[in-house]
Amino acid sequence: MTAADRPLAGPPRRFRPLRETVVPIRVPVPLASTQGTLALDLEPRHDPPAAASPAGRAAGDVVPIDRRWRGDVEQWSHRFAQAAVEIVGGDRPVSQLLRWTTSAVYADLERRARLVAQAGGHGAAQGRVQPVRPKVLSVRTCFLDRGVVESGIHVRYGERSRALAARFELRAPRREEAPRWICTALDWS
């Protein structure tokens, strides 16, 4: 009888399952809540703006602002910021914010979207599915004038946070158009 024909002596060896011996290349990332559709509605409202009340100011405001006007501007700032972080993340084309940005802010958004796409190995604005979607959590505004506001924006990326600072100015480019907010500065930190 050769060594190959002999039965193995002792109890059978137990092998660890394959999953315990394989080291994962990527750590699984939890998915954040979905933002819903990517519709973008930054058109100005057609109801008349509320008049500024002479009553007190919010902390940081230079001029007194009506509560309704503040709420409308904060909502608009929130929608703008959400669109901006989705552009940089590759979910939206940068052209969606063309009417609401200056050329310098537009160029910066375009550059950031391109750099993130190159780093991630995908094309910019292709509507890719991100493992973690950015979500704007809060917007705080400071009115320097009725038509000039600066916003501090808190953005959440999964477990990480980021801050944005934006400056918006109310402008009427042509006679027939209603005034609209334009982002004149957008700083990422």
Side-chain angles (χ1 to χ4, degrees):
M1 193 187 269
T2 65
D5 295 333
R6 276 187 250 150
L8 295 174
R13 278 179 49 190
R14 298 207 182 247
F15 293 99
R16 291 191 309 178
L18 185 58
R19 266 189 242 163
E20 292 178 12
T21 60
V22 175
V23 177
I25 295 174
R26 293 184 182 167
V27 177
V29 178
L31 292 177
S33 63
T34 304
Q35 295 293 313
T37 63
L38 294 177
L40 181 62
D41 183 19
L42 292 176
E43 289 294 325
R45 295 176 60 157
H46 296 291
D47 54 339
S53 69
R57 301 176 186 146
D61 284 344
V62 177
V63 295
I65 295 296
D66 180 68
R67 187 178 300 173
R68 181 170 171 224
W69 180 256
R70 172 183 301 286
D72 290 347
V73 172
E74 284 182 352
Q75 276 184 332
W76 191 90
S77 299
H78 188 279
R79 290 193 318 262
F80 180 91
Q82 185 64 48
V85 295
E86 289 174 0
I87 285 169
V88 171
D91 287 340
R92 292 179 183 271
V94 70
S95 60
Q96 285 189 351
L97 290 183
L98 178 63
R99 290 188 63 206
W100 293 277
T101 58
T102 60
S103 58
V105 172
Y106 183 84
D108 184 54
L109 278 173
E110 195 171 41
R111 181 185 64 84
R112 287 178 184 277
R114 189 177 61 250
L115 289 174
V116 169
Q118 286 174 353
H122 57 81
Q126 291 184 345
R128 67 187 183 93
V129 177
Q130 296 182 59
V132 177
R133 300 223 15 199
K135 182 176 182 181
V136 174
L137 293 183
S138 65
V139 175
R140 298 291 183 258
T141 57
C142 172
F143 283 84
L144 305 176
D145 187 357
R146 185 166 169 80
V148 178
V149 65
E150 292 183 349
S151 298
I153 303 155
H154 177 198
V155 181
R156 191 78 175 182
Y157 290 87
E159 296 298 317
R160 293 183 172 204
S161 287
R162 186 165 202 178
L164 276 82
R167 180 182 174 102
F168 300 104
E169 296 178 11
L170 195 58
R171 294 189 184 163
R174 287 187 224 128
R175 237 182 208 183
E176 65 273 2
E177 289 185 10
R180 67 174 185 250
W181 289 102
I182 302 292
C183 181
T184 58
L186 187 61
D187 186 30
W188 304 73
S189 59

